[in-house]
Amino acid sequence: MNEQLDTVIIGGGHAGLTMSYFLSQAGREHVILERARVGERWRSERWDSFCFQFPNWTLELPGYKYLCDDPEAFAPGREVVRFIEGYAAFIKAPTRCGVEVTSLERAGDSSRYLLSTNNGAIEAANVVIATGPYQLPVIPPVSCDIPKNIFQIHSSSYRNPAQLPPGAVLVVGSGASGCQIADDLQKSGRQVYLSVGRHSRRPRRYRGKDFAYWGPALGTTEQIVDTVPLQLRKGSEILLTGANGGYDVDLRAMAARGIVLLGHLQGINDGELILADDLTQNLARGDESLENFKRAADDYVTKNGLEFPAEQEPGVKPNIPSSVSRLNLKDAGVSVIVWASGFRCNFDWVRLPIFDEAGEPVHRRGVTQFPGIYFVGLRWLYKRKSAFLLRASGAEDAAYLAERIMARS
Ligand SMILES: Cc1cc2nc3c(=O)[nH]c(=O)nc-3n(C[C@H](O)[C@H](O)[C@H](O)COP(=O)(O)OP(=O)(O)OC[C@H]3O[C@@H](n4cnc5c(N)ncnc54)[C@H](O)[C@@H]3O)c2cc1C
């Protein structure tokens, strides 16, 4: 007979652990099935120089704060892992590591669910899917046309410059990951080309406060999913870094340091990149997003009568040499391409009709149309902050789902 359980959480990242915290508080029996180790993505899918992108004072999960000497510093990736491990121990999370769920379906005609795993089958009344918002690396099809002698790697597998063959590097994608990796490579002495897409700029600090202060202050982190148009939710990524004590990610300054900025990669023909003529436009959009942010922050300071220090007038923006429309990889000495082109969900193993045409889960605040099947930790699950670790952002969602699970009994 299959093992019978009340509630199973799939995934031992911070979202699964937060869910476990609220179920334990309510006295509800449950287990967490984690295919690898607790906090696995922070262990094996971040580069060596990666630091948490928000200051230490924001590193928090329900009932548990990160203890450190400098609240304004940025924790290296290994410290984030230590923090998540510490949390799992603190809440006595009932975790079974090394157990991968390979399929989830209805258990016959019953109202229970059958989970097949590499360690036997389990039946449960409630299943919370907490397998993360960034599951499978996305590499665009154009990668198939790249000459075979060029080494290709996705940002999730990038660790450090020494791991790559010598030569110049093309980084495709200018989100937070692409920019941080481009900087990492450039600092090691590599020539770096960066294919730039749409992005949003934010200052690391503004008027004496870290960016982490401004999200809640301006209400952006609390925005509810239906109040923000889909286009804006899926829109451009915010450029931030916690590396080297945290600094402004400014593509113009990166260009001034020697990184060659390129337009959006459109294709490749006979070893030559075909690039869109959109660099100036994307940089201008990024600048505009920064100005909009500053205006909103200034208004907030004025309205609330806060005595925050004024910002210095920005200096002259470094000029960007006009972008090229074609780049021959051999002539440019490019031997490596890093695809910082994002991630997608992978729920192929869930055999329940709870997905839309794009394969995205259909739910309301994590509650699906199948009684007892829930999602937690997804981007915009309910609010903008839903998927983030900082400030125990997922606590509200997990507490809500725990209430729903309790109500089921
Ligand atoms: C490069 C990068 C940098 C980031 N930096 C920050 C940051 O600085 N601050 C911040 O707040 N957020 C950051 N984020 C976002 C944050 O990492 C994610 O939102 C967060 O990891 C999501 O947590 P989670 O618990 O939902 O999922 P995950 O951390 O992805 O955990 C899911 C877990 O589920 C397990 N799993 C998956 N499938 C199965 C299965 N079938 N069976 C069993 N187990 C399974 C995985 O092994 C994994 O451990 C970053 C994201 C990326 C990609």
Side-chain angles (χ1 to χ4, degrees):
M1 187 171 145
N2 296 331
E3 183 180 3
Q4 303 289 320
L5 292 171
D6 180 76
T7 299
V8 171
I9 299 168
I10 310 174
H14 78 84
L17 294 172
T18 301
M19 191 68 234
S20 172
Y21 170 85
F22 285 103
L23 288 174
S24 293
Q25 293 275 306
R28 189 79 174 207
E29 177 217 320
H30 66 281
V31 299
I32 303 174
L33 304 181
E34 164 56 51
R35 67 179 168 190
R37 295 164 292 179
V38 157
E40 184 60 37
R41 290 223 161 84
W42 296 91
R43 298 172 192 265
S44 54
E45 296 188 18
R46 305 282 184 271
W47 45 99
D48 297 350
S49 65
F50 176 85
C51 288
F52 200 64
Q53 296 170 137
F54 303 93
N56 288 337
W57 58 265
T58 68
L59 198 38
E60 181 181 353
L61 286 170
Y64 193 73
K65 274 184 181 281
Y66 178 59
L67 295 177
C68 64
D69 296 334
D70 185 355
E72 294 296 336
F74 297 83
R78 62 178 178 281
E79 275 297 287
V80 181
V81 172
R82 202 171 65 84
F83 171 73
I84 295 176
E85 273 178 339
Y87 187 61
F90 171 71
I91 64 170
K92 300 188 176 59
T95 312
R96 297 183 190 174
C97 287
V99 180
E100 176 163 13
V101 178
T102 50
S103 75
L104 168 63
E105 60 200 299
R106 279 207 102 125
D109 292 338
S110 79
S111 59
R112 292 172 70 79
Y113 297 96
L114 174 67
L115 297 99
S116 302
T117 82
N118 58 348
N119 193 33
I122 296 172
E123 282 181 34
N126 303 293
V127 179
V128 186
I129 301 170
T131 50
Y134 304 106
Q135 295 175 4
L136 285 189
V138 169
I139 298 186
V142 63
S143 61
C144 301
D145 301 329
I146 303 288
K148 295 284 169 275
N149 60 335
I150 293 186
F151 180 83
Q152 300 184 50
I153 188 169
H154 187 264
S155 57
S156 57
S157 301
Y158 171 76
R159 292 293 159 269
N160 56 52
Q163 159 204 28
L164 307 178
V169 184
L170 167 69
V171 179
V172 181
S174 59
S177 299
C179 289
Q180 289 179 30
I181 291 172
D183 260 349
D184 198 39
L185 289 162
Q186 202 255 337
K187 281 198 186 91
S188 75
R190 300 266 186 154
Q191 175 61 60
V192 178
Y193 295 85
L194 177 61
S195 170
V196 175
R198 293 178 72 144
H199 56 272
S200 278
R201 287 181 63 192
R202 295 291 184 276
R204 179 70 270 173
R205 292 179 74 77
Y206 190 65
R207 302 204 60 176
K209 298 283 179 194
D210 186 88
F211 174 64
Y213 165 87
W214 292 104
L218 302 179
T220 47
T221 43
E222 297 298 321
Q223 284 172 320
I224 293 175
V225 59
D226 338 277
T227 64
V228 180
L230 182 65
Q231 205 190 347
L232 290 183
R233 276 186 266 141
K234 299 245 171 202
S236 43
E237 219 192 304
I238 290 179
L239 305 189
L240 276 184
T241 182
N244 300 309
Y247 55 91
D248 289 354
V249 181
D250 176 353
L251 286 156
R252 290 170 201 279
M254 288 165 75
R257 290 200 292 275
I259 293 177
V260 178
L261 303 185
L262 304 171
H264 199 92
L265 177 61
Q266 288 184 314
I268 175 146
N269 188 9
D270 207 11
E272 198 166 70
L273 303 180
I274 303 160
L275 301 155
D277 181 21
D278 58 1
L279 177 61
T280 314
Q281 197 188 0
N282 278 332
L283 289 175
R285 275 210 194 103
D287 292 345
E288 192 187 328
S289 66
L290 181 65
E291 292 314 313
N292 290 342
F293 165 82
K294 288 180 179 175
R295 253 193 309 277
D298 290 341
D299 287 351
Y300 176 86
V301 170
T302 310
K303 255 190 223 142
N304 291 284
L306 300 172
E307 291 186 359
F308 288 0
E311 278 292 314
Q312 285 190 342
E313 281 300 304
V316 182
K317 284 185 203 159
N319 265 335
I320 299 298
S322 59
S323 176
V324 292
S325 60
R326 290 184 169 246
L327 182 83
N328 186 293
L329 290 170
K330 194 169 171 207
D331 293 350
V334 171
S335 59
V336 179
I337 299 184
V338 179
W339 297 101
S341 33
F343 297 82
R344 68 175 176 85
C345 288
N346 173 20
F347 294 114
D348 295 352
W349 50 278
V350 181
R351 300 190 190 140
L352 296 167
I354 49 173
F355 302 97
D356 64 15
E357 314 79 61
E360 302 272 348
V362 178
H363 65 89
R364 176 74 195 156
R365 284 190 90 167
V367 180
T368 71
Q369 58 158 335
F370 274 75
I373 296 287
Y374 308 95
F375 286 92
V376 73
L378 296 176
R379 291 184 75 194
W380 284 100
L381 186 94
Y382 181 53
K383 293 188 173 176
R384 182 187 286 271
K385 67 180 183 180
S386 281
F388 290 106
L389 198 169
L390 82 151
R391 290 172 180 271
S393 294
E396 204 178 312
D397 295 337
Y400 175 77
L401 293 180
E403 271 174 31
R404 298 295 296 240
I405 291 171
M406 292 310 286
R408 280 204 82 213
S409 56

